[in-house]
Amino acid sequence: MEVMEAIKKRRSVRRYAKRKVEEDKLLRILEAARLAPSARNIQNRLYIVVENITGDLVEACNSQGWISSSPVIIAGILDPTVNRWADTDMAIAFEHMVLEAVELGLGTCWVGAFDESKVKSLLGVPGNMKVYALLTLGYPEMIPSSMVGKKNLEEIWARERYSW
Ligand SMILES: Cc1cc2nc3c(=O)[nH]c(=O)nc-3n(C[C@H](O)[C@H](O)[C@H](O)COP(=O)(O)O)c2cc1C
């Protein structure tokens, strides 16, 4: 699949089939994260793969009920004291995973609305580490047919100078 095709096919998926994600596909997704660029190549990024999605975890994600249909959640963990680009580096890795998931026929959705201290305690994450975000992953039960509204190209760029 061409990169642009994956970019255009991607949707935030919030309904998943009751189907396990195969280990080889999971490892390919983590490999896509591993290869992502990072400032000074520090790679301040750890991933916890959660397949036991408990009610407590859903509740910690601001009780977003749809999350319980997801067979896998990947939590991105970083050390916030290491460097100021850590969040950006993790975001890049997340999007590598998101696009690799499209290639593999899987769906994802970022989860940024969560109670960090609850998630930390449920996943055993030490207090000094940061839970950056979570990513649901699974076979889509329902893929939104059209992309949600995006700004027009001419609205978002200019040549040479700021012109908004
Ligand atoms: C940093 C970040 C955090 C997000 N957090 C949530 C979330 O907690 N719950 C949710 O349902 N969607 C979440 N989303 C998904 C966005 O709502 C979604 O990307 C946006 O509506 C555009 O839709 P699209 O991804 O289908 O293009 C998040 C996306 C990003 C990038």
Side-chain angles (χ1 to χ4, degrees), residues 10-12 14 64 66 109-113 147-148 150:
R10 185 207 61 81
R11 306 277 185 274
S12 284
R14 297 186 181 86
Q64 299 183 69
W66 63 269
C109 186
W110 282 70
V111 178
M147 193 173 255
V148 300
K150 303 287 177 186

Side-chain angles (χ1 to χ4, degrees), residues 8-160:
K8 286 185 173 169
K9 267 183 89 173
R10 185 207 61 81
R11 306 277 185 274
S12 284
V13 172
R14 297 186 181 86
R15 262 171 69 182
Y16 295 93
K18 286 189 184 21
R19 180 175 165 193
K20 199 178 149 49
V21 175
E22 298 84 345
E23 189 73 3
D24 60 321
K25 291 195 174 180
L26 182 60
L27 292 176
R28 264 187 60 169
I29 281 164
L30 293 166
E31 177 71 352
R34 185 179 76 86
L35 298 177
S38 62
R40 290 170 48 218
N41 200 28
I42 290 175
Q43 304 172 58
N44 174 12
R45 299 183 287 225
L46 300 169
Y47 308 94
I48 301 178
V49 175
V50 183
E51 288 174 296
N52 178 26
I53 310 219
T54 61
D56 285 347
L57 186 56
V58 174
E59 198 242 292
C61 295
N62 294 6
S63 298
Q64 299 183 69
W66 63 269
I67 288 173
S68 61
S69 78
S70 176
V72 178
I73 289 180
I74 300 175
I77 315 291
L78 57 87
D79 181 341
T81 64
V82 171
N83 64 329
R84 76 182 185 90
W85 291 107
D87 282 13
T88 304
D89 291 344
M90 186 66 91
I92 298 166
F94 263 51
E95 276 301 293
H96 272 213
M97 292 195 281
V98 164
L99 292 178
E100 181 60 16
V102 175
E103 164 93 44
L104 297 172
L106 292 159
T108 57
C109 186
W110 282 70
V111 178
F114 61 91
D115 180 323
E116 189 185 2
S117 62
K118 283 187 189 165
V119 171
K120 272 186 174 178
S121 120
L122 289 167
L123 304 186
V125 178
N128 61 311
M129 301 296 276
K130 173 175 175 172
V131 180
Y132 167 75
L134 310 170
L135 190 70
T136 58
L137 173 73
Y139 286 96
E141 172 79 20
M142 202 275 290
I143 306 178
S145 53
S146 55
M147 193 173 255
V148 300
K150 303 287 177 186
K151 290 182 180 176
N152 295 321
L153 194 54
E154 45 296 353
E155 285 179 86
I156 62 166
W157 76 288
R159 281 192 205 275
E160 314 297 345

